[in-house]
Amino acid sequence: MAKSATDLVKEAKQNIENLTPEQVHEELKNGNATLIDIRESEELSQNGKIAGSTHSPRGMIEFHADESLPYHKPEFDKNKRLILHCAGGGRSALATVTLKQMGYNNVAHMDGGYNAWKEAGYPVTE
């Protein structure tokens, strides 16, 4: 039976850690996490970003996370806390499942994504 994108996201969220913007803000403030922004470059230039976040578009996440590849980004460290976000929380939920499959055990995503972060009144850069 075929699944819709909504089905896949709902299933993903049942198997990962879902954080509120408040929880993410607290972890970042305490220096306990690396925030990974998986939106597309156009989204960042149009809507801004969360200061200090690392950009890794959804289509590159596996390549940036794989230490054996030349595309690997050092921010992807299996020994550290990673929190992913996209615009609304769907893509980051799916990407969090992928990272868990790749051996990242301390990974979560921000439910509601960048939009929820802004709505909560947390700062963004243009």
Side-chain angles (χ1 to χ4, degrees), residues 3-11 90 94:
K3 295 180 182 181
S4 69
T6 302
D7 294 334
L8 293 171
V9 169
K10 191 180 295 184
E11 188 177 290
L94 296 171

Side-chain angles (χ1 to χ4, degrees), residues 57-72:
R58 174 77 176 94
M60 289 298 293
I61 197 109
E62 295 87 349
F63 301 98
H64 289 164
D66 189 332
E67 297 166 347
S68 71
L69 297 177
Y71 300 109
H72 179 256

Side-chain angles (χ1 to χ4, degrees), residues 38-53:
I38 68 162
R39 296 175 299 151
E40 298 300 320
S41 297
E42 300 81 38
E43 292 176 275
L44 274 69
S45 58
Q46 290 173 0
N47 302 312
K49 65 179 217 156
I50 299 170
S53 62

Side-chain angles (χ1 to χ4, degrees), residues 96-115:
T96 299
V97 169
T98 298
L99 289 183
K100 285 181 69 174
Q101 292 170 338
M102 294 179 73
Y104 286 83
N105 296 316
N106 195 4
V107 62
H109 95 113
M110 180 166 54
D111 208 11
Y114 184 76
N115 297 334

Side-chain angles (χ1 to χ4, degrees), residues 70-87:
Y71 300 109
H72 179 256
K73 285 190 168 190
E75 292 86 356
F76 286 85
D77 183 339
K78 290 181 180 171
N79 298 310
K80 294 189 177 170
R81 172 74 157 165
L82 298 182
I83 301 172
L84 278 56
H85 83 84
C86 59

Side-chain angles (χ1 to χ4, degrees), residues 13-54:
K13 287 183 178 183
Q14 293 173 355
N15 297 301
I16 60 172
E17 186 178 359
N18 300 281
L19 301 174
T20 65
E22 293 78 16
Q23 290 170 309
V24 172
H25 183 261
E26 195 63 29
E27 287 199 42
L28 294 174
K29 187 173 78 173
N30 293 332
N32 295 336
T34 299
L35 187 62
I36 308 288
D37 187 336
I38 68 162
R39 296 175 299 151
E40 298 300 320
S41 297
E42 300 81 38
E43 292 176 275
L44 274 69
S45 58
Q46 290 173 0
N47 302 312
K49 65 179 217 156
I50 299 170
S53 62
T54 295

